[in-house]
Amino acid sequence: MTKPVWRPAAEAGAWKGVEVLHYKAEGSAAFKGVTRRVLFDDPELACQVRYFEVQAGGYSTLERHEHLHAVMVLRGRGRCLVGDGLYELRPHDLVSVPAMAWHQFQATPEEPLGFLCLVNTERDRPILPTSDDLACLRRDERIAAFIKF
Ligand code: MN
């Protein structure tokens, strides 16, 4: 049996003993002002729970992949694209990202957006949009106005 872990919250979105990590390698994909924390990562669970924080005006990478995301907003305000849907995000909202759905999370210009994201430990690498994919996404003017790439 693995040892239990107790990590008290230092404040909203911060936990004692949980390191603040880079979201992705700088320059590997387009994103702005995102940090990552791995909260749970136990091989026996075969999944990870991460906490992402997007600073005000920031955004995650526009991407898609075979693995799923299960997301719960913990703090702040923002919006997301999932597939061809755009959704407002507030604390405690839930969003799932299906396989191969384009997705991007954005904080509002005024407030950061912090959310939990559950993924399988073993997962495929994200795919970035090609210029054809972007052209396709931009056919929907609401999506064209939203996406940052
Ligand atoms: Mn993703």
Side-chain angles (χ1 to χ4, degrees), residues 23-24 50 52 60-65 67-69 97 101 103-105 117 119 126:
Y23 169 55
K24 301 191 170 175
R50 296 94 46 89
F52 292 95
S60 66
T61 302
L62 174 62
E63 61 178 32
R64 66 176 176 173
H65 36 67
H67 64 271
L68 312 181
H69 290 316
V97 177
H103 55 283
Q104 183 168 56
F105 289 79
C117 178
V119 283

Side-chain angles (χ1 to χ4, degrees), residues 36-81:
R36 180 170 62 95
R37 290 168 170 87
V38 179
L39 305 185
F40 296 101
D41 182 16
D42 188 321
E44 289 183 53
L45 281 173
C47 63
Q48 294 181 336
V49 177
R50 296 94 46 89
Y51 175 74
F52 292 95
E53 202 157 279
V54 184
Q55 63 180 226
Y59 51 87
S60 66
T61 302
L62 174 62
E63 61 178 32
R64 66 176 176 173
H65 36 67
E66 290 290 347
H67 64 271
L68 312 181
H69 290 316
V71 168
M72 184 170 89
V73 178
L74 274 199
R75 62 183 298 231
R77 290 277 191 283
R79 291 203 296 159
C80 66
L81 168 77

Side-chain angles (χ1 to χ4, degrees), residues 1-135:
M1 207 172 73
T2 19
K3 266 184 68 176
V5 172
W6 178 65
R7 290 192 168 118
E11 57 187 281
W15 294 266
K16 231 182 142 141
V18 176
E19 214 185 328
V20 184
L21 304 169
H22 289 288
Y23 169 55
K24 301 191 170 175
E26 212 62 51
S28 63
F31 66 88
K32 188 179 163 193
V34 187
T35 56
R36 180 170 62 95
R37 290 168 170 87
V38 179
L39 305 185
F40 296 101
D41 182 16
D42 188 321
E44 289 183 53
L45 281 173
C47 63
Q48 294 181 336
V49 177
R50 296 94 46 89
Y51 175 74
F52 292 95
E53 202 157 279
V54 184
Q55 63 180 226
Y59 51 87
S60 66
T61 302
L62 174 62
E63 61 178 32
R64 66 176 176 173
H65 36 67
E66 290 290 347
H67 64 271
L68 312 181
H69 290 316
V71 168
M72 184 170 89
V73 178
L74 274 199
R75 62 183 298 231
R77 290 277 191 283
R79 291 203 296 159
C80 66
L81 168 77
V82 180
D84 58 7
L86 289 168
Y87 308 99
E88 297 286 328
L89 297 173
R90 307 175 353 145
H92 307 161
D93 288 351
L94 304 175
V95 193
S96 72
V97 177
M100 295 312 280
W102 290 112
H103 55 283
Q104 183 168 56
F105 289 79
Q106 298 181 9
T108 63
E110 298 80 26
E111 271 191 85
L113 174 71
F115 58 91
L116 299 172
C117 178
L118 176 70
V119 283
N120 290 128
T121 306
E122 297 261 341
R123 56 187 185 270
D124 60 321
R125 297 197 65 81
I127 299 164
L128 302 178
T130 62
S131 48
D132 281 355
D133 292 328
L134 285 172

